[in-house]
Amino acid sequence: MDTKETVLAILNDLTGEDFSANLDENLFDSGLLDSMDTVQLLLELQSQLGVDVPVSEFDRSQWDTPAKIIAKASATV
């Protein structure tokens, strides 16, 4: 699985939604992710892709869409 597929699978597990056709949906504004989901997202990104983002350094505006998450994850893999 590549980074994009892995991120989409993680988001699907967390939200029950398939974002493959809508990579620009704001996950926080739409209520699909909250602070607890964010922690789980970061843990899964670290576990599955080796992406290490401390919660204290997490800027929601840089991680609020599937496209941004994929780009961030790809940049650190």
Side-chain angles (χ1 to χ4, degrees):
M1 220 186 289
D2 68 7
T3 301
K4 179 180 178 180
E5 290 173 347
T6 302
V7 169
L8 290 175
I10 292 168
L11 290 173
N12 184 273
D13 287 344
L14 287 173
T15 66
E17 301 283 330
D18 177 9
F19 294 102
S20 56
N22 190 7
L23 296 177
D24 294 319
E25 179 162 352
N26 189 303
L27 302 169
F28 298 103
D29 289 350
S30 63
L32 293 168
L33 287 183
D34 60 19
S35 57
M36 291 302 293
D37 295 323
T38 299
V39 172
Q40 187 63 36
L41 171 65
L42 294 177
L43 289 172
E44 289 298 323
L45 290 172
Q46 182 177 20
S47 171
Q48 295 187 39
L49 294 171
V51 175
D52 188 23
V53 179
V55 174
S56 60
E57 296 177 18
F58 181 82
D59 180 352
R60 202 164 101 163
S61 67
Q62 295 180 9
W63 296 80
D64 59 359
T65 68
K68 289 180 183 179
I69 296 168
I70 292 164
K72 288 280 196 183
S74 295
T76 59
V77 171

